[in-house]
Amino acid sequence: AQTVTQSQPEMSVQEAETVTLSCTYDTSENNYYLFWYKQPPSRQMILVIRQEAYKQQNATENRFSVNFQKAAKSFSLKISDSQLGDTAMYFCAFYGNKLVFGAGTILRVKS
Amino acid sequence: DGGITQSPKYLFRKEGQNVTLSCEQNLNHDAMYWYRQDPGQGLRLIYYSQIVNDFQKGDIAEGYSVSREKKESFPLTVTSAQKNPTAFYLCASSPGTGKNTGELFFGEGSRLTVL
């Protein structure tokens, strides 16, 4: 069975600093997609970043980047220059033949 | 604007009552999904539909029912058989089979509270 583990239930970071959220997954598949979704207090889920497993280059979207380690089955999210608007629940998700979500990490950005 | 609309945003139900949550999308997506969100458990799949007039059970379908009579609409009924229905419910869509990369587009959610 495919599983996604987010080992950090809650994290805090000072505004303008960098924070890394961890995610590991378990699968026997070779081709898949990985995602980080953001759920702010408004509760609507928004896609932050996506990584195709066949691509070795780590995905980047502005202040958001990932560290994808396929052999280690690790997919961490780095947020640079944290902003107050980054405060949200962050979900890591895996898509092979179905989409599986981790339990989420609450990130609080402090001023 | 294209997107997914869920209603109502908040809903209260007495025990023993069925309630229906609405989900409408104008993204022309083939596939639609219902997820349940509980604290500390992430999102769990209730039902999904990849095409009109067809739907499949997800991981926690017991006590729920759905229909897909139109491409745009995928309502979820929470029946009295659902033992613990108080939760946050999210509807989502994706382009569909053959075009699917796993990326989902979400509605704003519906909070159901059983009194």
Side-chain angles (χ1 to χ4, degrees):
Chain A
Q2 295 154 351
T3 59
V4 177
T5 302
Q6 294 180 247
S7 59
Q8 305 149 316
E10 295 188 30
M11 293 191 72
S12 295
V13 62
Q14 286 295 128
E15 202 174 3
E17 293 188 347
T18 296
V19 63
T20 298
L21 308 184
S22 301
C23 174
T24 58
Y25 57 95
D26 188 23
T27 184
S28 58
E29 298 188 33
N30 194 46
N31 295 319
Y32 49 86
Y33 295 85
L34 293 161
F35 305 87
W36 279 98
Y37 281 92
K38 170 184 177 181
Q39 187 179 39
S42 66
R43 305 307 293 271
Q44 183 160 23
M45 298 271 284
I46 305 165
L47 179 67
V48 175
I49 200 163
R50 180 178 79 183
Q51 174 81 42
E52 291 92 340
Y54 64 87
K55 289 187 178 179
Q56 293 192 349
Q57 186 172 5
N58 289 326
T60 299
E61 287 288 341
N62 300 313
R63 297 182 296 107
F64 299 88
S65 62
V66 299
N67 182 4
F68 173 47
Q69 301 289 329
K70 191 172 183 179
K73 296 179 182 175
S74 171
F75 183 61
S76 61
L77 175 69
K78 185 172 83 170
I79 305 174
S80 304
D81 186 25
S82 296
Q83 301 175 359
L84 296 177
D86 294 334
T87 292
M89 174 84 87
Y90 288 83
F91 291 97
C92 179
F94 168 97
Y95 179 74
N97 58 0
K98 63 181 284 189
L99 191 60
V100 179
F101 287 88
T105 296
I106 298 173
L107 175 66
R108 295 186 176 87
V109 180
K110 300 179 178 179
S111 59
Chain B
D1 287 352
I4 299 178
T5 302
Q6 287 187 240
S7 63
K9 198 167 185 177
Y10 300 96
L11 185 61
F12 298 90
R13 186 194 95 174
K14 293 182 180 179
E15 283 194 29
Q17 289 181 334
N18 292 354
V19 292
T20 297
L21 308 180
S22 170
C23 179
E24 304 276 333
Q25 56 102 355
N26 61 3
L27 299 168
N28 199 33
H29 284 170
D30 289 322
M32 296 186 74
Y33 310 80
W34 274 105
Y35 286 90
R36 172 179 170 140
Q37 185 177 10
D38 295 284
Q41 294 194 48
L43 276 66
R44 294 183 290 167
L45 183 63
I46 304 172
Y47 268 98
Y48 64 100
S49 167
Q50 294 185 327
I51 197 169
V52 174
N53 292 323
D54 186 53
F55 48 82
Q56 306 295 328
K57 292 182 179 180
D59 300 319
I60 55 164
E62 185 176 351
Y64 299 97
S65 66
V66 293
S67 63
R68 188 85 187 276
E69 297 177 2
K70 299 186 299 181
K71 186 176 184 177
E72 302 81 13
S73 179
F74 191 41
L76 173 74
T77 297
V78 184
T79 75
S80 57
Q82 168 51 232
K83 297 283 188 270
N84 184 23
T86 294
F88 188 67
Y89 292 88
L90 282 163
C91 180
S93 71
S94 68
T97 305
K99 298 165 278 187
N100 206 3
T101 60
E103 179 180 351
L104 298 183
F105 297 78
F106 286 88
E108 295 185 342
S110 295
R111 162 71 63 183
L112 172 62
T113 303
V114 174
L115 304 173

